[in-house]
């Protein structure tokens, strides 16, 4: 099948630091619980996993925000924990508690048994990618994604989210060999997983290193960045006659921005604590930057949303040889009023245009 021509490729061009007429915008978790239609589809599916594992449902919720808002990219509806679930760790999503594994990695024997999963166990993800691409019909690009080996490893060892990362940090300090073994397996699985998404139709990929920022300096480089770099190096760089850009997002990672930017990715995502102007100066436009509005700004009312959107755009400055993709500094809150997103999209697209003049 010949892929339809992209009607709006501004997101992809921005990632490659090519000239564009305005700053493109998409939102982390843009297909999510803040949308009534998402909640209705999730109720029909019966559970989060049932929603993610059914290609029709996954396609439906991926497209929902694009039917409401003039966004410049779609992102696959899935979860970063699909890989360890395919490894047999027994993923479940408990109401009010988030993801939890029935079989976390707690012993040396657990770690030794760990293997890269058969990709056929993740076929539902690739089928969803193909269907979403078909239904998008070239409207905007589709982003595929995965968690970083470190971030996924945190869940695999902790068994769920954590406030102190005690279990995985205990392993890190007492048995670093076991943790490196987990990260090695995760890295190989992540490369295979993202490349299969690209082959199924993903036109850009993002690596979520959500918990990289909990590591001490030196340990971040050894246990997180080194493995993220290997994932980036292993990615398919071109598909369907076009470069497939990669984005790396490390929450709390601005202090290491030069090192992250040098990992081989095309763009670096930033949380809301980073100053775009300073970061841009530090990396010298060697990569595009993505971000970085505080998600809570969307609760401030129309005037505040417009003011804060302008602040982010002004922080980046005249685009010239750079590339800027507007996004939140983390996922959108489930309590966000949908009309706030409409205001944000309008302001970003309108206000950013003069920043792209020669």
């Amino acid at each position: 099948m010949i892929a339809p021509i992209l009607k709006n490729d501004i997101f992809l061009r921005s990632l490659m630091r090519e000239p564009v007429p305005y700053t493109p915008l998409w939102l982390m978790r843009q297909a999510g619980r803040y949308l009534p239609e998402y909640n209705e589809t999730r109720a029909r599916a019966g559970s989060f996993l049932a929603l993610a594992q059914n290609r029709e449902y996954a396609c439906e919720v991926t497209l929902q925000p694009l039917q409401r808002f003039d966004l410049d990219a779609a992102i696959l509806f899935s979860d970063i924990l699909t890989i360890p679930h395919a490894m047999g760790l027994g993923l479940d999503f408990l109401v009010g508690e988030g993801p939890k594994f029935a079989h976390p990695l707690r012993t040396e024997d657990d770690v030794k048994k760990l293997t890269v999963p058969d990709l056929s166990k993740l076929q539902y993800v690739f089928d969803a990618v193909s269907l979403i691409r078909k239904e998008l019909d070239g409207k905007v690009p589709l982003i595929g994604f995965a968690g970083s080996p470190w971030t996924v490893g945190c869940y695999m060892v902790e068994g769920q989210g954590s406030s102190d990362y005690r279990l995985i940090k205990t392993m890190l300090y007492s048995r670093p060999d076991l943790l490196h073994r987990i990260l090695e397996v995760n890295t190989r699985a992540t490369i295979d997983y993202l490349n299969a998404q690209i082959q199924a139709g993903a036109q850009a990929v993002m690596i979520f290193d959500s918990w990289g920022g909990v590591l001490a300096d030196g340990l971040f480089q050894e246990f997180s960045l080194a493995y993220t770099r290997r994932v980036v190096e292993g990615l398919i760089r071109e598909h369907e006659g076009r470069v497939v850009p990669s984005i790396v997002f490390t929450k709390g990672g601005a202090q290491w921005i030069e090192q992250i930017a040098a990992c081989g990715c095309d763009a670096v995502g930033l949380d809301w604590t980073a100053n775009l102007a300073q970061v841009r100066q530090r990396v010298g436009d060697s990569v595009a930057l993505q971000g970085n509005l505080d998600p809570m700004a969307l609760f401030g009312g129309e005037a505040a949303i417009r003011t804060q959107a302008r602040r982010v755009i002004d922080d980046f400055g005249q685009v010239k040889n750079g590339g800027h993709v507007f996004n939140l500094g983390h996922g959108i809150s489930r309590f966000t009023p949908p009309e706030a997103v409409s205001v944000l999209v309008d302001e970003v697209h309108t206000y950013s245009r003069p920043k792209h003049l020669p």
Side-chain angles (χ1 to χ4, degrees):
M1 183 184 75
I2 299 174
I5 295 172
L6 263 175
K7 301 174 181 73
N8 175 356
D9 66 351
I10 290 175
F11 165 70
L12 296 178
R13 285 158 54 198
S14 291
L15 291 179
M16 301 308 297
R17 293 174 289 119
E18 297 173 4
V20 294
Y22 62 83
T23 299
L25 166 72
W26 70 278
L27 305 175
M28 289 187 273
R29 290 200 201 122
Q30 68 187 22
R33 292 178 288 176
Y34 74 105
L35 293 177
E37 55 268 39
Y38 168 88
N39 293 316
E40 190 275 327
T41 305
R42 178 167 170 164
R44 277 192 283 121
S47 70
F48 179 88
L49 268 180
L51 183 64
Q53 292 178 333
N54 179 294
R55 70 173 194 155
E56 283 78 17
Y57 284 145
C59 178
E60 184 177 326
V61 295
T62 297
L63 298 179
Q64 284 170 349
L66 297 166
Q67 290 154 1
R68 270 191 185 252
F69 314 117
D70 187 23
L71 297 161
D72 296 288
I75 183 165
L76 164 71
F77 180 81
S78 187
D79 193 84
I80 65 169
L81 301 181
T82 51
I83 289 176
H85 185 50
M87 292 173 172
L89 271 64
L91 177 64
D92 199 5
F93 285 83
L94 307 179
V95 177
E97 294 183 40
K100 192 165 187 175
F101 284 114
H103 312 293
L105 306 177
R106 297 287 169 77
T107 68
E108 184 167 351
D109 196 45
D110 291 338
V111 176
K112 285 184 175 178
K113 289 178 181 175
L114 195 67
T115 58
V116 175
D118 184 335
L119 281 184
S120 66
K121 295 179 179 178
L122 293 160
Q123 188 60 45
Y124 63 91
V125 176
F126 316 134
D127 289 345
V129 170
S130 296
L131 181 60
I132 295 164
R133 272 295 303 276
K134 178 175 178 290
E135 294 300 319
L136 278 171
D137 192 33
K139 181 177 181 178
V140 294
L142 175 62
I143 306 166
F145 72 92
S148 73
W150 160 257
T151 292
V152 173
C154 286
Y155 285 99
M156 293 165 71
V157 175
E158 297 285 341
Q160 57 191 347
S162 175
S163 59
D164 60 8
Y165 303 89
R166 178 176 55 86
L167 297 176
I168 193 162
K169 286 192 174 185
T170 297
M171 183 182 288
L172 183 156
Y173 289 113
S174 65
R175 289 296 306 273
D177 58 313
L178 295 184
L179 183 50
H180 278 300
R181 158 84 178 148
I182 293 169
L183 297 173
E184 172 69 33
V185 174
N186 284 357
T187 297
R188 287 188 277 125
T190 304
I191 292 169
D192 292 348
Y193 182 56
L194 286 174
N195 282 339
Q197 288 185 42
I198 292 168
Q199 288 167 332
Q203 291 149 293
V205 292
M206 183 159 169
I207 300 165
F208 285 88
D209 188 27
S210 306
W211 307 128
V214 308
L215 287 165
D217 185 48
L219 298 179
F220 168 74
Q221 290 85 342
E222 180 180 353
F223 291 95
S224 180
L225 184 58
Y227 291 97
T228 297
R229 180 184 296 110
R230 283 181 50 193
V231 172
V232 173
E233 289 171 349
L235 293 176
I236 293 170
R237 286 294 296 161
E238 187 174 315
H239 188 62
E240 297 175 336
R242 186 164 194 157
V243 172
V244 181
S246 60
I247 310 162
V248 171
F249 171 68
T250 299
K251 187 171 182 285
Q255 63 179 312
W256 303 301
I257 187 65
E258 294 91 344
Q259 295 168 66
I260 297 169
C263 79
C265 61
D266 298 291
V268 177
L270 296 158
D271 65 38
W272 65 89
T273 64
N275 179 290
L276 277 178
Q278 293 174 8
V279 167
R280 186 180 181 192
Q281 186 174 32
R282 286 164 60 189
V283 300
D285 284 337
S286 61
V287 291
L289 300 177
Q290 179 173 277
N292 64 333
L293 184 72
D294 181 355
M296 296 301 107
L298 295 175
F299 293 95
E302 179 171 348
I305 293 168
R306 292 187 185 277
T307 296
Q308 293 305 312
R310 290 183 177 202
R311 182 188 58 78
V312 171
I313 292 165
D314 286 342
D315 276 354
F316 190 87
Q318 287 296 130
V319 177
K320 296 182 181 177
N321 296 321
H324 182 208
V325 173
F326 197 102
N327 207 314
L328 304 179
H330 204 242
I332 189 169
S333 165
R334 62 178 292 192
F335 303 108
T336 303
E339 55 270 22
V341 176
S342 297
V343 171
L344 180 66
V345 173
D346 175 68
E347 189 63 33
V348 170
H349 283 171
T350 303
Y351 185 74
S352 67
R353 286 182 182 272
K355 302 290 185 180
H356 292 265
L357 295 174

